[in-house]
Amino acid sequence: MTDLFEASGVHPPDAPLAERLRPVSLEEVVGQDHLLGEGGPVRRMVEAGRLGSMILWGPPGTGKTTIARLLAKAAGYQYQSISAVFSGVADLKKAFEQARVRRAAGQSTLLFVDEIHRFNRAQQDGFLPFVEEGIVTLVGATTENPSFELNGALLSRSQVFVLKRLDDSALNQLLIRAEAGEDRPLPLTPEARQALLALADGDGRYLLTMAETLFALPDDPLDVQGLAGTLQKRAPTYDKSREEHYNLISALHKSVRGSDPDAALYWLARMLNGGEDPLYLARRIVRMAVEDIGQADPLSLLVANAAKDTYDFLGSPEGELALAQAVVHLATAPKSVAVYEAYKAASKAARETGSLMPPAHIRNAPTKLMKSLGYGEGYQYDPSTEDGFSGANYFPDGMERHTFYAPRGEGHEEKVKARLERWAALRSAKSREG
C-alpha cells in the first residue's frame, strides 16, 4: 500500500509528485501535531520504544498510511501491510504466520490494515488472538467512525487516534515543499493559490495531485477564474449513508434550534450540494417545527409543510429555495418545547393509569341505557357558560389532575400562558364554590 506521506528513499525522477514528497520521518508529517508533536500520545509511544495497537481514524489524504510506516521505522518494527479491500482470509493467515516467525526470531511486526472497517465482524474477530498474544501490533486505518464500524472487542484492545483534516497552514506547507522540489513557484496568483487550498478540502494527496497538473502549465500565473477552468471542482465529501450524513443533519437541526439562520443556511447548502434528498430535509424541517418551536409560533408548522409541498411542485433547483425560506423562518422563530415535553409527560401518565374510563359527564350517550347509567349527565357546554369556561373535570375519576403543558411565554405562547393562568384561577374558584 502507498500513501502521500509514506516513508521512502530515492524515487525515480518520473515518479508522481506525491510519491517524491513522501516524508522520511515523523517530524515531516504535517497537520497532526496533536498526535506526533511534543507530548503527543503517538510521539510518547515512539520515545518509549514500544508501540500499542491503534486505530487511525481520519479523512482521506491526512497521512494514515505514512504514520504507520514511519512508526514501524522509528520503533524498529518490521512493517507489513494489507488492504481490507483486496485481502481475504488467506492473506490474513499468511500475514499472521509471517509475523509469528519473526517474533520467534525476536523481531516485532507492525501490521497495517488499510480500510479496516471493510473487514466483516468475523474477520475483525480473527485479529484478536494475534493482538492479545503480541504476535502483531495492529495499526488500522479507517475513514469511518470506529464506534459504528469496528467490533467492540477489537476497539477495547486498541487506542483510537483521530487524524485532523489538514488546515490551510498544513496544506500550504505541502505546496512550499512541492515548489522547492520543482525549483519554481506554482503559476498562481495569491488569490488563486488560496482557492487551490480550498479545493483540496483538507486532503493533502489531492492537493499535490492538482499541484502536479499546474506545474505542467506555462509560467504565466493563473487567476481564480483560470484555475477553475484548468481544474475540475471536487465533489464535497459526503456519504448519505454514513456518519457525515448524521453529523450534518444534526448541525442543521441544532443551528435552527439555536436561532442561527446563517449557520442553518450553510448546513442546508452543504447537504444539498452533497446530493442529499431534499424531501428528507423537508421532513426534518417539519420535525423541527413541531419539536422545537411548537406553540411559540404555530405558523412554523404551516411554513414547513408548505416548503415540502412547494418542493414537490417545483422540484430542484427552484424548490430548494422554499426549504431555505422555511429554515430561515424556523431559525428566527421563538422556540418552545412545551408541547413536546407535555406530550411526553402525558404519554407516561397514560401508560401508568392503564384503562381508566372518562368521567361519566363527558361520555357519549347515544342510547337510553347509557343515559340511564348517567352517561352525559351534568355535562356543561363551555361556550354557553358565563365565562366561556365551566371548570369541569375532564380527567378520569380517581386520577388526580396533572399539568402537562406549561408554556414559558415565548412568542404566541405568551397569550396562551395568560389564558391558561386565567382558566386555572377560574377552575380553582369554581371548585371552592362547589
Side-chain angles (χ1 to χ4, degrees):
M1 297 297 299
T2 58
D3 184 87
L4 165 64
F5 306 108
E6 178 183 349
S8 180
V10 178
H11 299 287
D14 60 346
L17 179 62
E19 179 79 11
R20 287 180 273 128
L21 291 179
R22 296 179 188 277
V24 296
S25 69
L26 287 168
E27 287 71 25
E28 292 184 11
V29 177
V30 301
Q32 310 303 337
D33 289 347
H34 63 295
L35 300 178
L36 305 175
E38 193 68 36
V42 178
R43 175 74 173 270
R44 290 199 300 269
M45 283 187 187
V46 174
E47 291 172 346
R50 184 174 179 80
L51 302 179
S53 291
M54 65 185 77
I55 304 297
L56 301 177
W57 173 28
T62 52
K64 295 182 287 295
T65 306
T66 294
I67 290 173
R69 284 183 173 271
L70 296 178
L71 281 176
K73 176 183 176 182
Y77 284 44
Q78 178 65 42
Y79 177 81
Q80 187 168 3
S81 69
I82 59 175
S83 168
V85 176
F86 302 110
S87 303
V89 174
D91 301 291
L92 289 174
K93 287 182 177 179
K94 181 179 178 181
F96 293 139
E97 185 56 35
Q98 291 173 342
R100 193 188 298 276
V101 171
R102 292 192 201 100
R103 189 189 185 204
Q107 174 68 61
S108 299
T109 298
L110 185 153
L111 178 63
F112 176 68
V113 183
D114 197 19
E115 305 284 351
I116 190 171
H117 62 277
R118 293 183 180 269
F119 277 133
N120 62 37
R121 301 286 173 168
Q123 289 170 318
Q124 290 178 30
D125 283 340
F127 288 97
L128 299 178
F130 300 97
V131 171
E132 289 175 342
E133 294 175 35
I135 293 172
V136 298
T137 295
L138 174 68
V139 177
T142 179
T143 56
E144 303 297 337
N145 190 327
S147 300
F148 302 147
E149 303 296 335
L150 299 184
N151 283 1
L154 187 59
L155 285 176
S156 70
R157 291 161 177 80
S158 310
Q159 293 189 66
V160 175
F161 295 120
V162 181
L163 275 68
K164 294 181 179 179
R165 173 183 179 276
L166 300 188
D167 59 19
D168 283 358
S169 175
L171 292 171
N172 198 48
Q173 287 183 57
L174 294 180
L175 289 186
I176 291 171
R177 290 181 190 176
E179 290 170 325
E182 294 291 316
D183 197 26
R184 67 190 182 97
L186 278 167
L188 297 173
T189 65
E191 295 78 13
R193 186 186 185 94
Q194 191 62 40
L196 180 66
L197 299 181
L199 280 173
D201 197 20
D203 186 333
R205 182 190 302 109
Y206 184 67
L207 176 72
L208 291 183
T209 299
M210 292 191 293
E212 187 164 24
T213 299
L214 295 171
F215 278 127
L217 300 176
D219 290 335
D220 294 335
L222 295 173
D223 57 15
V224 174
Q225 186 175 357
L227 176 68
T230 303
L231 301 175
Q232 284 193 336
K233 186 174 184 247
R234 188 185 195 191
T237 302
Y238 184 72
D239 187 335
K240 290 184 282 185
S241 65
R242 300 287 184 176
E243 187 200 7
E244 189 72 8
H245 162 83
Y246 298 104
N247 285 339
L248 265 61
I249 193 61
S250 176
L252 171 60
H253 195 145
K254 287 171 182 171
S255 297
V256 169
R257 182 182 293 155
S259 301
D260 190 334
D262 301 304
L265 282 172
Y266 170 77
W267 294 118
L268 176 70
R270 277 281 300 273
M271 296 190 80
L272 288 170
N273 290 347
E276 183 58 74
D277 177 7
L279 288 177
Y280 167 80
L281 292 168
R283 288 191 294 272
R284 188 66 175 236
I285 290 168
V286 171
R287 174 182 163 187
M288 297 173 198
V290 296
E291 184 176 305
D292 299 304
I293 297 169
Q295 280 295 95
D297 179 42
L299 181 61
S300 288
L301 180 55
L302 300 179
V303 169
N305 271 304
K308 181 263 296 181
D309 291 341
T310 301
Y311 183 83
D312 266 341
F313 183 61
L314 292 179
S316 292
E318 294 85 355
E320 292 167 4
L321 186 58
L323 301 182
Q325 180 178 342
V327 161
V328 169
H329 182 98
L330 270 59
T332 55
K335 307 299 186 296
S336 172
V337 294
V339 172
Y340 177 68
E341 296 293 343
Y343 180 70
K344 287 198 302 182
S347 295
K348 180 174 181 291
R351 289 192 299 271
E352 291 173 349
T353 55
S355 55
L356 293 177
M357 291 291 290
H361 74 98
I362 60 171
R363 295 182 200 173
N364 192 29
T367 68
K368 289 183 179 181
L369 174 60
M370 291 177 175
K371 289 179 181 178
S372 69
L373 294 174
Y375 284 25
E377 185 177 345
Y379 172 66
Q380 300 179 67
Y381 184 65
D382 284 61
S384 296
T385 61
E386 182 179 350
D387 297 307
F389 177 79
S390 68
N393 175 51
Y394 296 98
F395 278 93
D397 292 333
M399 178 180 175
E400 292 184 2
R401 177 173 185 79
H402 290 257
T403 299
F404 299 125
Y405 178 51
R408 296 181 181 178
E410 291 295 324
H412 175 78
E413 283 191 325
E414 180 180 4
K415 294 180 179 179
V416 174
K417 183 173 184 289
R419 195 178 302 129
L420 288 175
E421 288 172 349
R422 172 176 171 270
W423 286 340
L426 284 171
R427 183 181 294 111
S428 177
K430 291 177 183 292
S431 175
R432 288 194 300 270
E433 291 172 2

